[in-house]
Amino acid sequence: MNSSILSIKNISKSFAKIDEDSITHAISNINIDLKENEFVSIVGPSGCGKSTILRLIAGLIFPTMGEIFFENKKIQGPNRDIGMVFQKPTLFPWLTVKKNISFGLDINNEYEENKINEMIKMIGLNDFANDYPGQLSGGMAQRVAIARAIINNPKVLLLDEPLGALDYFTRMNMQDEILEIWKEKKQLIIMVTHDIEEAIYMSTKVYVMEKNPGRIKEEVKIDLPYDRDRTSLEFVEYKNRILNLVKF
Amino acid sequence: MDNKFTKSELKKLEKKSKSKKEMFFDLLISFLPLLSYAISILEYLFIKDKYENDYKYRYVIFLTVIIVLYLFFLIKNLYIYLTCGDDEKYIKTKNKSLWLFVIFLFLTLFDYLTLKTGILMYPFIPWVNDIINISIEDYKNLTISTLYSLRLLLIGYIVGVVTGLVTGVLCGYSKRVRYWINPILKVLGPIPTATWIPLIMIISSSLFLGAVFIISLGVWFSVSVATMIGIMNVDKSYYDVAKTLGANDKDLIFKVAIHSAMPNILQGMTQGMSSACISLMVAEMLGVKAGLGWYITWSQSWASYNKMFAAIIIICLVFNVVSKILDSIKKYLLRWQNSGGDIE
Ligand SMILES: Nc1ncnc2c1ncn2[C@@H]1O[C@H](COP(=O)(O)OP(=O)(O)O)[C@@H](O)[C@H]1O
Ligand SMILES: [Mg+2]
């Protein structure tokens, strides 16, 4: 029996290069087992295959070797139970904020006015509900993108550097907002970030990756109670430990 | 936010106010058309006609209706400006004044060169009152011809747009369909559809259906190509987002691809409309025995040049109205595009 909700078994992914006749080995031999209600972060140098792992789990691309199981079933393609927020908000510019958020419900005929309004209120964009995304700031747009993913109530939420483009203060706010959502819905969250402090502040487990080919170097469990204090001694110790792992 | 204000109040706050002198000058300009109106009336009534001119006062009424309409809107919007301070509409009306001024002067000159002196050859070029008279006299035929033309145009256009959308979407979305359709578009594309008219007129059982086919062919072509390009260029990350939200292939086409390609599609539809208007005229002049194009060739063959002019003017009006309508549809469907913060 397998008690984990998501298990990644020995996957490798290679891409054919477009211009020359050669191959990029994006990731190789990744093994991860994850349970519900975990919040894991993936950190590592750029190009080590972090996004690739998320896209594989989302079912947007398929592994060259190995298999990924979600609730003991092999992943065959995108699935509403696995939501994803991309690095760019990628809102649909032809839909209003409200319609962007309800997109998942609309296409599955589950439109529910209350649920949508609640979500808009939660991200604090009441005044912008009927505006088009062109008018939003980066932080607002990313909040809409997160709302759009979690309104589907996914069991797994994949976040690909969701706060990467935001300024420091918006970032800290959004970190707390995401943690609130996680505490309430108790879904499995897998977040890619390049900010080690962010990873330690938010997650229960941090995977440190290295590249060429992309693989997991170490798994660091963060044994600190929420809400975490960034200036505490333990926090700084975790930070130093991971920084040492990333250096090479 | 505790101080909320409306859009017009915001504009008012941010605009620097005009000086008294500027406002007086604006007012002067906006009443300028009255002057040229008076000139054209005086010219028309007090210079002796060279030719016989029935129902002389129709032209006077025509000019007066134009100036009255203009003054009505001008005063209404001026009133709005003075009471609410929102000058948007007033300025819009005011900006038309110089054009109207020139148009009256042009009409005056035209009248002088035709009715008064015959310098522009009568009967080939009639004066305006003559065109007004013939339009009233022959209004039945003109109305019927206009309706026939509109019917042919709309049927052909709609058939073309619908088929164009279908092939365009399929071509943009599926490589296999593109393999078959793309070469056809490439070969037929550069040939003006009017080329086929004589052939179609011979082989089709009904001239009307033949004309519909010709008109829709051009529209189909423009819409297909524009839609295909639009769909092929859809940002792939939209698809990724939609898929993770549970979209199937149908949703990807109808909820994502078509919307994303909408600017291209509408541009193709505009292009299609101008090709449809050309095909319509050629078809009616060459074969179809109804419509404004037919009316033009028919009146020309009877040397009724005033009728010909009447029909040409109606065509100009109709095509302008049609493209205005298309424009506002476009504006409505693409309202999401101009949503940068600026309220202009
Ligand atoms: N669709 C693709 N086609 C070709 N190469 C790709 C593709 N996606 C990713 N790669 C390559 O795989 C490697 C890992 O990419 P990625 O997962 O985006 O890294 P990260 O997110 O960690 O920065 C990079 O070398 C990148 O060039
Ligand atoms: Mg990445």
Side-chain angles (χ1 to χ4, degrees):
Chain A
M1 241 336 264
N2 193 344
S3 70
S4 57
I5 177 171
L6 188 79
S7 66
I8 297 174
K9 292 217 188 305
N10 231 335
I11 54 165
S12 304
K13 175 72 185 174
S14 306
F15 293 103
K17 282 189 185 159
I18 301 167
D19 38 354
E20 34 184 320
D21 188 19
S22 65
I23 279 174
T24 316
H25 298 288
I27 53 170
S28 96
N29 283 319
I30 304 271
N31 281 291
I32 302 177
D33 262 308
L34 297 168
K35 298 190 181 60
E36 288 173 54
N37 202 18
E38 279 193 278
F39 192 136
V40 305
S41 289
I42 303 175
V43 297
S46 104
C48 70
K50 305 180 295 288
S51 298
T52 304
I53 293 180
L54 293 196
R55 296 171 65 80
L56 283 164
I57 299 172
L60 293 170
I61 52 176
F62 297 96
T64 312
M65 276 184 288
E67 285 164 330
I68 306 175
F69 294 91
F70 169 65
E71 294 183 325
N72 298 321
K73 281 198 291 282
K74 196 177 157 184
I75 290 179
Q76 310 275 13
N79 177 339
R80 268 186 92 196
D81 283 330
I82 303 179
M84 179 154 176
V85 176
F86 298 79
Q87 181 161 9
K88 279 191 294 172
T90 332
L91 301 180
F92 302 121
W94 56 88
L95 295 178
T96 60
V97 165
K98 189 169 174 182
K99 284 277 165 194
N100 261 286
I101 292 174
S102 65
F103 187 87
L105 300 182
D106 287 342
I107 56 176
N108 294 291
N109 297 318
E110 292 169 8
Y111 190 87
E112 228 182 286
E113 187 75 27
N114 285 339
K115 207 168 166 185
I116 298 160
N117 289 335
E118 216 170 86
M119 194 59 79
I120 294 171
K121 213 192 255 166
M122 192 190 82
I123 58 170
L125 288 182
N126 291 347
D127 288 347
F128 297 86
N130 295 314
D131 287 346
Y132 289 96
Q135 304 182 325
L136 301 180
S137 72
M140 293 185 202
Q142 197 55 281
R143 255 183 263 177
V144 175
I146 293 171
R148 181 174 62 179
I150 62 179
I151 203 168
N152 268 347
N153 248 328
K155 293 178 183 157
V156 179
L157 183 60
L158 309 169
L159 306 172
D160 192 355
E161 304 199 31
L163 312 181
L166 307 182
D167 66 89
Y168 191 68
F169 293 101
T170 319
R171 233 182 135 93
M172 296 214 293
N173 270 329
M174 297 272 297
Q175 288 170 0
D176 289 328
E177 278 176 36
I178 293 173
L179 281 175
E180 284 309 312
I181 294 166
W182 174 62
K183 284 175 199 161
E184 190 193 319
K185 307 262 172 164
K186 304 224 183 299
Q187 68 275 69
L188 165 62
I189 293 188
I190 306 174
M191 178 174 80
V192 166
T193 173
H194 57 246
D195 180 348
I196 290 168
E197 196 178 288
E198 180 171 279
I200 301 168
Y201 182 72
M202 297 177 78
S203 25
T204 54
K205 215 195 267 175
V206 178
Y207 288 100
V208 181
M209 289 185 67
E210 38 185 8
K211 70 180 198 179
N212 292 328
R215 61 210 126 97
I216 290 171
K217 190 176 189 185
E218 194 152 326
E219 172 188 327
V220 181
K221 264 212 155 82
I222 312 290
D223 272 323
L224 294 174
Y226 293 94
D227 304 314
R228 293 173 178 166
D229 175 4
R230 289 172 224 262
T231 56
S232 73
L233 199 60
E234 298 99 317
F235 195 100
V236 177
E237 270 168 11
Y238 274 117
K239 196 170 159 183
N240 289 338
R241 184 171 155 206
I242 293 174
L243 274 173
N244 278 324
L245 284 169
V246 179
K247 251 189 279 173
F248 44 88
Chain B
M1 271 203 260
D2 48 350
N3 56 47
K4 295 208 173 198
F5 37 78
T6 63
K7 198 161 136 181
S8 67
E9 284 168 323
L10 176 64
K11 277 191 168 178
K12 209 168 144 190
L13 275 174
E14 292 192 340
K15 205 175 50 201
K16 54 177 190 240
S17 58
K18 284 188 172 166
S19 69
K20 277 257 158 58
K21 215 167 123 193
E22 279 174 306
M23 275 172 61
F24 178 72
F25 195 66
D26 278 355
L27 210 61
L28 209 64
I29 286 181
S30 52
F31 283 99
L32 214 49
L34 263 178
L35 178 67
S36 55
Y37 164 76
I39 294 174
S40 57
I41 294 284
L42 291 175
E43 184 272 346
Y44 182 68
L45 291 179
F46 292 105
I47 295 180
K48 211 170 138 296
D49 298 341
K50 186 170 178 191
Y51 305 99
E52 196 184 323
N53 185 16
D54 299 330
Y55 303 109
K56 196 170 168 120
Y57 286 97
R58 279 178 179 166
Y59 182 58
V60 176
I61 294 171
F62 168 71
L63 293 181
T64 310
V65 166
I66 294 178
I67 195 78
V68 164
L69 276 178
Y70 172 74
L71 288 177
F72 171 76
F73 284 109
L74 181 69
I75 290 171
K76 193 187 97 190
N77 295 334
L78 191 60
Y79 178 76
I80 292 175
Y81 173 40
L82 292 177
T83 52
C84 315
D86 183 2
D87 64 350
E88 189 180 346
K89 282 182 171 167
Y90 166 60
I91 289 190
K92 252 187 190 162
T93 321
K94 192 208 77 184
N95 285 343
K96 296 199 173 93
S97 64
L98 288 177
W99 262 107
L100 197 56
F101 175 73
V102 172
I103 286 171
F104 278 125
L105 288 185
F106 170 79
L107 286 172
T108 312
L109 183 68
F110 187 77
D111 189 65
Y112 183 76
L113 295 178
T114 50
L115 176 61
K116 308 300 183 194
T117 59
I119 293 173
L120 289 180
M121 287 287 291
Y122 185 77
F124 301 115
I125 300 185
W127 56 90
V128 177
N129 199 43
D130 193 22
I131 299 173
I132 295 175
N133 284 337
I134 202 71
S135 312
I136 292 173
E137 191 182 300
D138 204 23
Y139 83 96
K140 248 188 184 152
N141 282 330
L142 279 168
T143 316
I144 290 173
S145 299
T146 308
L147 293 178
Y148 265 116
S149 289
L150 275 178
R151 186 178 69 156
L152 185 52
L153 180 71
L154 287 185
I155 294 177
Y157 186 69
I158 289 170
V159 170
V161 168
V162 171
T163 51
L165 276 176
V166 173
T167 46
V169 168
L170 289 176
C171 279
Y173 207 71
S174 145
K175 263 196 186 133
R176 210 176 314 156
V177 180
R178 193 153 65 235
Y179 174 82
W180 289 107
I181 305 281
N182 210 13
I184 300 179
L185 289 173
K186 277 216 174 104
V187 172
L188 289 185
I191 306 169
T193 44
T195 316
W196 309 109
I197 289 179
L199 178 69
I200 298 295
M201 290 300 158
I202 297 168
I203 58 173
S204 71
S205 55
S206 135
L207 286 175
F208 181 76
L209 289 181
V212 167
F213 176 78
I214 286 297
I215 293 169
S216 55
L217 184 65
V219 180
W220 171 77
F221 174 74
S222 317
V223 174
S224 286
V225 172
T227 306
M228 178 176 81
I229 290 173
I231 301 261
M232 281 167 68
N233 288 334
V234 174
D235 188 341
K236 299 293 173 287
S237 51
Y238 290 142
Y239 291 141
D240 284 348
V241 171
K243 279 185 205 162
T244 60
L245 293 171
N248 53 27
D249 269 340
K250 202 183 94 201
D251 297 323
L252 291 185
I253 293 178
F254 289 103
K255 298 281 165 65
V256 178
I258 288 186
H259 292 276
S260 176
M262 197 50 89
N264 288 75
I265 293 174
L266 289 167
Q267 183 241 330
M269 281 173 65
T270 310
Q271 217 179 309
M273 181 53 87
S274 63
S275 104
C277 289
I278 296 171
S279 311
L280 174 75
M281 283 302 117
V282 178
E284 288 183 344
M285 286 177 175
L286 289 189
V288 182
K289 293 269 176 292
L292 288 166
W294 165 80
Y295 188 94
I296 288 176
T297 37
W298 174 78
S299 46
Q300 187 203 22
S301 66
W302 288 97
S304 322
Y305 299 108
N306 46 8
K307 285 188 182 173
M308 197 177 90
F309 266 86
I312 289 175
I313 290 169
I314 291 175
I315 287 172
C316 293
L317 291 177
V318 167
F319 285 179
N320 267 297
V321 168
V322 168
S323 76
K324 262 257 164 64
I325 293 173
L326 200 59
D327 256 6
S328 42
I329 293 175
K330 197 163 156 181
K331 228 178 181 168
Y332 175 76
L333 288 176
L334 295 184
R335 63 198 182 284
W336 51 271
Q337 269 196 330
N338 315 316
S339 55
D342 208 84
I343 50 173
E344 275 304 317

